[in-house]
Amino acid sequence: MRLRSLLPTLSTQLSNTQSEKLLSELASLQVTLAEDLILRSSSDEFFELLTHGLIEKRDWKRLYDEVATFSTSIGVTGTVRWKEEVHRKELSTIGNEIPLISTGIESVDRLVVFPSWGVVEIAGPLGSGKTSLITHLTLKYLMDCPESSATWIDTLGGFSPEHANRTKEKLESRFKLQGADPLTRLEVVPCTELSSAYDILEGVVSQVEENQMSKFIVVIDPITPLLGPGLSATSSKGHALMITFMRHLSTISETHGVLFLVANTATRIRRASVTEQAGLSDHSMSRPFDPTSSFAYKPSLGPSFTYLTDMSLFITVMNRRDGRDAETRRVKVKVLKCRQSSSGAICCIDMRSGCLVVGEELLGKP
């Protein structure tokens, strides 16, 4: 989390002038995030680098410790988690019948039960249909809930207004949905840096608080360019940045009821390397559409990323089957992790011109 956003929430009170000077000096030391402060040097080492008289040593030590406490995991009891889960289920339906967010395809919604708030990962190789699924879910949500809004954080400039409008028209035609244009409640924001993402999320929180909104979706498509470059086998800083950012998303979600739909790319690996790993079978990874290929796919950013989400889906393109026209593409959706339904469930979805058409249950099939 950015120090500029964190400082006002700490008990160590500083004047506005003192805070600005401190933030400016830390920025000159390339320290703008909480993890920069905690991972780079000790409290005493940092204090020696600050201008003499800017802040008392005891105040600096207290501030440093508070930032460190904020950046560490805090345990909660099972009772608290149970109450959160009950509250989550109560919010997940409208009139206890219609899910707040769903595809509208019965066979898919029966297996893939989306939470009303939390962090949902949708991973898959390039061209597998991640953005199409997210666009469908977001626009249907906006059409089902006229009081809802959404922010789309576009990290690669891949958002297509034409595709969004085509999806909206398909939804209106298929589900007979009426009401205000959902695209007027969808804000698309370009973002290429992690620090910019924090700024955008601050704006989302302010918007939710000011308007007292209880139904809000944030899409990050994809999140990989923001977190992937920092991950390294020789340094833990990138991993710390990823955990801090994901914890920030979870905090916003739990505090304000925001649902995050996060797209993640996939990494191609040799199938032999998968089966050689202890406790890992070939079926634990998603297979590519060529059964003779020696490669398989797994979500990027590593297994730690999936553990930081509330739900994780993996999408791959399936073989073309006889009887389908050339414009129709079938994708397989596997539930890797889910709080509301069983993990391991598999279903397939037909897509035509980037829009979801029909689904089919494939529970128990490889």
Side-chain angles (χ1 to χ4, degrees):
M1 186 174 182
R2 300 189 70 189
L3 289 173
R4 181 172 295 278
S5 302
L6 183 57
L7 279 186
T9 67
L10 303 180
S11 61
T12 304
Q13 297 298 322
L14 303 175
S15 66
N16 291 336
T17 302
Q18 194 177 18
S19 294
E20 287 299 325
K21 289 183 177 180
L22 178 60
L23 289 170
S24 177
E25 288 211 13
L26 290 175
S28 67
L29 299 173
Q30 297 184 340
V31 176
T32 57
L33 304 177
E35 52 269 25
D36 293 335
L37 186 66
I38 302 305
L39 298 177
R40 188 166 300 177
S41 300
S42 67
S43 171
D44 292 338
E45 290 173 334
F46 265 123
F47 185 76
E48 294 298 325
L49 298 176
L50 299 176
T51 300
H52 179 71
L54 175 61
I55 184 174
E56 294 291 335
K57 187 170 184 178
R58 63 175 181 277
D59 292 335
W60 168 254
K61 182 67 167 62
R62 189 183 304 115
L63 184 147
Y64 186 94
D65 290 342
E66 283 192 76
V67 173
T69 300
F70 176 85
S71 303
T72 56
S73 299
I74 301 176
V76 296
T77 65
T79 302
V80 172
R81 284 302 185 196
W82 168 247
K83 290 180 179 179
E84 290 176 353
E85 200 67 26
V86 171
H87 181 59
R88 186 191 298 263
K89 291 181 179 179
E90 290 175 349
L91 291 176
S92 64
T93 59
I94 301 176
N96 296 323
E97 293 181 359
I98 306 173
L100 278 178
I101 181 167
S102 66
T103 64
I105 302 174
E106 183 180 354
S107 58
V108 176
D109 294 334
R110 185 170 56 248
L111 296 178
V112 185
V113 182
F114 290 92
S116 58
W117 52 272
V119 182
V120 177
E121 173 196 15
I122 300 178
L126 181 66
S128 59
K130 302 184 297 296
T131 299
S132 295
L133 176 57
I134 292 175
T135 302
H136 180 102
L137 290 169
T138 303
L139 292 182
K140 187 173 184 303
Y141 177 88
L142 293 174
M143 298 170 82
D144 284 337
C145 307
E147 70 277 20
S148 62
S149 296
T151 294
W152 188 295
I153 300 177
D154 187 8
T155 63
L156 292 178
F159 179 83
S160 170
E162 180 183 357
H163 174 239
N165 187 64
R166 184 168 61 246
T167 301
K168 181 200 71 170
E169 292 175 349
K170 293 286 186 182
L171 288 169
E172 290 174 339
S173 174
R174 177 169 184 176
F175 300 105
K176 311 301 181 185
L177 297 173
Q178 302 295 329
D181 187 348
L183 294 178
T184 61
R185 288 175 282 123
L186 174 62
E187 181 185 17
V188 181
V189 186
C191 175
T192 57
E193 297 180 356
L194 190 60
S195 58
S196 299
Y198 278 105
D199 291 335
I200 296 170
L201 293 175
E202 287 177 20
V204 168
V205 171
S206 298
Q207 183 179 351
V208 171
E209 291 178 343
E210 291 175 4
N211 300 319
Q212 297 183 344
M213 305 175 70
S214 60
K215 298 179 177 65
F216 203 102
I217 282 184
V218 175
V219 175
I220 305 179
D221 182 28
I223 197 172
T224 321
L226 299 180
L227 302 177
L231 297 177
S232 168
T234 59
S235 173
S236 61
K237 182 178 178 180
H239 191 263
L241 289 171
M242 180 179 72
I243 292 178
T244 301
F245 184 71
M246 294 303 292
R247 285 188 59 201
H248 188 51
L249 298 188
S250 295
T251 300
I252 294 175
S253 177
E254 294 174 3
T255 305
H256 301 284
V258 176
L259 175 63
F260 289 91
L261 298 179
V262 178
N264 185 14
T265 59
T267 303
R268 193 172 72 162
I269 57 175
R270 287 192 176 276
R271 185 166 295 167
S273 67
V274 177
T275 54
E276 288 169 0
Q277 297 180 32
L280 255 168
S281 68
D282 188 38
H283 295 284
S284 64
M285 294 294 178
S286 179
R287 299 185 180 188
F289 40 80
D290 181 4
T292 63
S293 173
S294 60
F295 291 96
Y297 291 93
K298 66 176 182 179
S300 301
L301 303 180
S304 297
F305 182 81
T306 299
Y307 294 144
L308 297 169
T309 64
D310 298 289
M311 181 179 187
S312 179
L313 305 178
F314 196 87
I315 307 179
T316 49
V317 180
M318 299 179 66
N319 284 322
R320 182 176 300 282
R321 295 182 177 179
D322 294 337
R324 290 209 311 276
D325 58 81
E327 294 183 357
T328 302
R329 176 181 54 174
R330 175 161 292 188
V331 300
K332 180 175 68 175
V333 180
K334 182 175 182 179
V335 181
L336 300 181
K337 173 186 176 182
C338 185
R339 293 178 182 270
Q340 281 72 32
S341 58
S342 301
S343 300
I346 302 174
C347 63
C348 67
I349 301 174
D350 284 350
M351 296 185 179
R352 185 179 297 119
S353 300
C355 301
L356 277 64
V357 181
V358 68
E360 176 184 335
E361 182 176 340
L362 293 176
L363 186 63
K365 297 183 180 181

